[in-house]
Amino acid sequence: MPNKECIFKCLDRIFVNFPFQSLFPNIEVEHLMRIGSDHAPLLMSCGEEAMQFVKPFKFLNFWTKHETFMEVVRQNWMVDFTIYPFLSFNQKLKMVKLALSKWSKLTFGDIFKQLTIREDVVKIKEILFEEAPTVENRTILQQAQA
């Protein structure tokens, strides 16, 4: 018997009108992971091909706590470019960016893939909680979200 305190219904919806649906006949809606709310963000895909783009560099603050971080930056910053100062600065930034990207992959693995896996685990726990909204399943869901 479900606990009355654990009522959990999927009420999040997207509404479109007929002209919109005619314009985008391949609409798909995905319920994303709930974070800090009992509402799931919705991702609506209209079936259009996404443009290919270069993945932007993301500096991750936790890198700075690793013992080899400063050495990677130092080695790649000390490269001497005998060109204009601003171009030299730009080249050094590029060198450090490439080195940190490779270093992060070797040191921490693919953290974005790990994050995706953990998000999938949370989605599974959400589904289990929706099917059986007990205090125990709510605790399991909250642990997965944490």
Side-chain angles (χ1 to χ4, degrees), residues 89-143:
F89 180 75
N90 188 30
Q91 289 298 331
K92 287 182 178 195
L93 284 177
K94 285 181 181 179
M95 292 283 293
V96 170
K97 177 183 114 172
L98 289 172
L100 285 176
S101 295
K102 289 178 186 176
W103 170 81
S104 178
K105 199 75 113 178
L106 290 171
T107 305
F108 300 104
D110 189 344
I111 58 172
F112 297 105
K113 184 176 182 180
Q114 293 173 29
L115 181 61
T116 301
I117 291 169
R118 285 177 172 75
E119 287 173 346
D120 288 344
V121 168
V122 170
K123 285 180 186 178
I124 291 168
K125 302 298 182 189
E126 286 176 348
I127 292 167
L128 291 173
F129 181 69
E130 287 174 11
E131 291 174 356
T134 63
V135 173
E136 181 183 352
N137 283 348
R138 174 181 277 186
T139 303
I140 291 169
L141 172 60
Q142 288 170 339
Q143 288 172 346

Side-chain angles (χ1 to χ4, degrees), residues 3-146:
N3 184 336
K4 289 183 180 179
E5 295 175 10
C6 295
I7 296 173
F8 200 85
K9 299 288 179 190
C10 187
L11 301 176
D12 303 300
R13 301 281 185 263
I14 289 180
F15 293 98
V16 298
N17 60 17
F18 186 72
F20 186 90
Q21 193 171 8
S22 297
L23 192 59
F24 300 102
N26 298 323
I27 295 173
E28 292 182 8
V29 176
E30 179 183 354
H31 286 78
L32 302 177
M33 195 170 65
R34 294 176 181 92
I35 298 176
S37 173
D38 60 346
H39 294 281
L42 302 176
L43 174 64
M44 181 173 68
S45 302
C46 297
E48 296 294 313
E49 290 292 322
M51 291 176 48
Q52 296 293 328
F53 62 93
V54 176
K55 188 170 132 183
F57 174 74
K58 292 182 182 178
F59 183 88
L60 303 173
N61 287 333
F62 72 87
W63 287 349
T64 61
K65 294 179 179 24
H66 194 275
E67 59 194 27
T68 61
F69 170 79
M70 283 305 294
E71 186 57 32
V72 171
V73 173
R74 191 175 293 111
Q75 284 177 357
N76 289 279
W77 192 259
M78 298 309 283
V79 176
D80 188 28
F81 293 98
T82 55
I83 52 178
Y84 299 106
F86 287 113
L87 291 177
S88 177
F89 180 75
N90 188 30
Q91 289 298 331
K92 287 182 178 195
L93 284 177
K94 285 181 181 179
M95 292 283 293
V96 170
K97 177 183 114 172
L98 289 172
L100 285 176
S101 295
K102 289 178 186 176
W103 170 81
S104 178
K105 199 75 113 178
L106 290 171
T107 305
F108 300 104
D110 189 344
I111 58 172
F112 297 105
K113 184 176 182 180
Q114 293 173 29
L115 181 61
T116 301
I117 291 169
R118 285 177 172 75
E119 287 173 346
D120 288 344
V121 168
V122 170
K123 285 180 186 178
I124 291 168
K125 302 298 182 189
E126 286 176 348
I127 292 167
L128 291 173
F129 181 69
E130 287 174 11
E131 291 174 356
T134 63
V135 173
E136 181 183 352
N137 283 348
R138 174 181 277 186
T139 303
I140 291 169
L141 172 60
Q142 288 170 339
Q143 288 172 346
Q145 288 172 331

